[in-house]
């Protein structure tokens, strides 16, 4: 991936000082303005390339749409539900988090709540402060031999499992992504949720908040659990249905809950917080000195690595960029964008485009189909249109523009460098182009079934002419161009001269009006790459 230029960053919340120090050490100008109101953030954000937040700053669509220069939103923490990721993606802005920064702290708090639920530690401590000595009231239960269900077996789920196994708990879990053999290697038996609910003495959730996980624990699922099951949520408010949880607590179906997160924070559901069998915390999962230092340092290092074109870690909406950091991938991206730009220029009069089919050929391009497709679309949508497409938002923009996109890979015995073939359709017409990378340079091999004798270097000012083969064509065109002050730097003719064929000229500058060539050519296009 070509390095993304980040020169200015706004930090809108308190993060570890190492974050600012690392960014400034690498030449990035940092401004810290905390506790900005929405209107203040909207007014401020237009001046920055990057924004670093924790969980309090709400980066809404209004904020994102006001950010004309913003290229990156960095979340110093795990969850990104305070960021409108869809709006950021549509604008081509990378949303990045620090996936491992608070893993240990969140896992340790989860374990603390599990232990507190088993032995009523907070309630007993409060009773002591009130001058009481009531041993019978706070009778607890051992964790040893109990079954812990872990819903979500990512980094935090794994750390919780290994710690609670030390207490002799049997750990079972569910995760739609982590392979069962992987979780089995650290002692968690995977099963379906329907199998998990009735087995567990304790359940802890460690999933993101998304449509599939909203209200994951509800009246129906509580009814399937053991009577007296205890639950913990240190992930995101809303994964456990709070009203259903309160009903389960009052009926005794749920024996206790440890909650660090709520649907609304601070929570207004006081009956839940005030319930005697609920242990609640004010969202302390990442509130350790170590986690804050780690998250602040991690987000800064991730930004620096991305800017320097080294690596991309934690991008939640730009996974396509992960494979674009090698020199070879950058060359292929330039090829895709250039081929797309050529076709856009040739198809200008046939807009709007309705279809784009991108075909990669050869082993060299087997793994690059995703970003090659996006690169071609960037060239198609950006060139001469004023559109601000990039690899992050271009698929969404293509859909918005009514372009149906198809991609495929052909396994052939093509040269090692491989080839990219693109066909676009619009207004009943079709345009095709074939390109490759030769000697590190993107080249055009053919246009609309015309194969060039010499590959066309896709750089500089290019002019494409469709005309009947004629010995006088070049001299006639050269005369017109000279009268317009344009010099021909290179000329590429097709192999086949039958019928109307395409020629390519490298020129010193573009013509103000291609109409001056209409007496010599059937069609013409020009562009600067």
């Amino acid at each position: 991936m070509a390095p993304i230029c980040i020169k200015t960053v706004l930090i809108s919340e308190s993060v570890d000082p190492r974050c600012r120090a690392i960014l400034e050490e690498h030449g990035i100008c940092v401004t810290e303005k905390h506790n900005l109101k929405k209107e203040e953030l909207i007014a401020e954000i237009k001046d920055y390339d990057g924004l670093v937040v924790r969980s309090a700053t709400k980066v809404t669509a209004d904020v994102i749409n006001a950010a004309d220069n913003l290229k990156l939103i960095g979340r110093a923490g795990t969850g990104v539900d305070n960021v409108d990721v869809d709006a950021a993606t549509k604008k081509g802005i990378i949303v990045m988090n620090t996936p491992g920064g608070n893993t240990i702290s969140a896992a340790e708090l989860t374990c603390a709540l599990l232990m507190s639920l088993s032995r009523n530690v907070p309630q007993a401590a409060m009773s002591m402060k009130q001058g009481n000595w009531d041993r019978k009231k706070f009778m607890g239960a051992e964790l040893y031999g109990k079954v812990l269900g872990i819903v979500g077996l990512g980094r935090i789920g794994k750390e919780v499992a290994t710690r609670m196994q030390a207490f002799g708990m049997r750990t079972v879990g569910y995760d739609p992504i982590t392979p069962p053999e992987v979780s089995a290697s650290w002692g968690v038996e995977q099963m379906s949720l329907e199998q998990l609910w009735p087995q567990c003495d304790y359940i802890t959730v460690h999933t993101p908040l998304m449509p599939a996980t909203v209200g994951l624990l509800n009246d129906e699922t509580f009814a399937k659990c053991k009577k007296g099951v205890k639950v913990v949520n240190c992930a995101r408010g809303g994964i456990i249905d709070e009203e259903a949880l309160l009903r389960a607590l009052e009926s005794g179906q749920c024996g206790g809950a440890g909650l660090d997160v709520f649907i609304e924070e601070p929570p207004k559901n006081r009956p839940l917080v005030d319930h005697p069998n609920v242990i609640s915390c004010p969202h302390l999962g990442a509130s350790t000195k170590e986690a804050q230092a780690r998250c602040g340092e991690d987000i800064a290092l991730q930004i620096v690595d991305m800017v320097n074109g080294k690596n991309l870690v934690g991008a939640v909406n730009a996974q396509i960029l992960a494979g674009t950091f090698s020199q070879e991938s950058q060359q292929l991206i330039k090829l895709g964008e250039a081929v797309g730009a050529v076709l856009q220029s040739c198809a200008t009069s046939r807009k709007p485009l309705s279809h784009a089919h991108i075909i990669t050929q050869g082993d060299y391009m087997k793994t690059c189909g995703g970003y090659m497709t996006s690169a071609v679309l960037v060239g198609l949508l950006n060139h001469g249109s004023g559109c601000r497409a990039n690899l992050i938002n271009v698929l969404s923009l293509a859909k918005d523009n009514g372009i149906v996109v198809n991609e495929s890979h052909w396994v052939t015995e093509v040269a090692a460098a491989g080839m990219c073939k693109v066909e676009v359709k619009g207004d009943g017409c079709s345009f095709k182009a074939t390109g490759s990378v030769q000697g590190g340079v993107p080249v055009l091999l053919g246009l609309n079934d015309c194969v060039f004798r010499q590959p066309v270097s896709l750089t500089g000012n290019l002019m494409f002419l469709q005309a009947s083969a004629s010995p006088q064509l070049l001299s006639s065109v050269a005369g017109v161009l000279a009268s317009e002050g344009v010099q021909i730097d290179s000329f590429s003719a097709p192999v086949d001269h039958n019928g109307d064929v395409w020629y390519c000229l490298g020129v010193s500058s573009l013509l103000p009006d291609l109409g001056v060539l209409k007496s010599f050519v059937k069609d013409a296009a020009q562009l600067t790459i």
Side-chain angles (χ1 to χ4, degrees), residues 107-122:
E108 288 182 352
L109 180 62
T110 301
C111 296
L113 289 175
L114 288 167
M115 288 185 280
S116 295
L117 284 171
S118 73
R119 298 302 295 271
N120 303 303
V121 175

Side-chain angles (χ1 to χ4, degrees), residues 339-357 376-377 379-383 397-405 422-431:
V339 169
V342 168
L343 288 173
Q344 190 280 338
S345 181
C346 291
T348 297
S349 62
R350 306 312 199 278
K351 287 185 175 180
L353 298 177
S354 58
H355 290 79
H357 186 192
V376 170
L377 293 173
L380 276 173
L381 293 177
N382 267 354
H383 193 78
L397 290 176
K399 184 178 180 180
D400 291 345
N401 280 272
I403 301 175
V404 177
V405 180
V422 182
E423 180 179 10
V424 297
K425 296 179 180 179
D427 195 25
C429 296
S430 171
F431 289 86

Side-chain angles (χ1 to χ4, degrees), residues 16 105 286-295:
D16 190 83
S105 293
S287 295
T288 65
K289 295 177 181 178
E290 293 83 359
Q292 291 310 304
R294 200 178 295 121
C295 287

Side-chain angles (χ1 to χ4, degrees), residues 236-254:
R236 282 291 177 266
I239 298 172
I240 299 178
D241 183 323
E242 292 180 355
E243 296 299 329
L245 173 59
L246 184 58
R247 286 190 287 272
L249 286 163
E250 291 177 342
S251 70
Q253 182 63 21
C254 178

Side-chain angles (χ1 to χ4, degrees), residues 361-363 410-416 418-419:
Q361 283 185 247
D363 290 342
W410 292 355
V411 180
T412 63
E413 296 182 2
V414 183
M419 291 195 304

Side-chain angles (χ1 to χ4, degrees), residues 28-46:
I28 297 173
C29 181
V30 178
T31 300
E32 291 195 62
K33 292 189 177 182
H34 302 167
N35 304 316
L36 294 173
K37 296 179 181 178
K38 179 180 177 180
E39 295 74 18
E40 294 172 330
L41 182 58
I42 288 174
E44 185 75 23
I45 196 62
K46 65 182 185 298

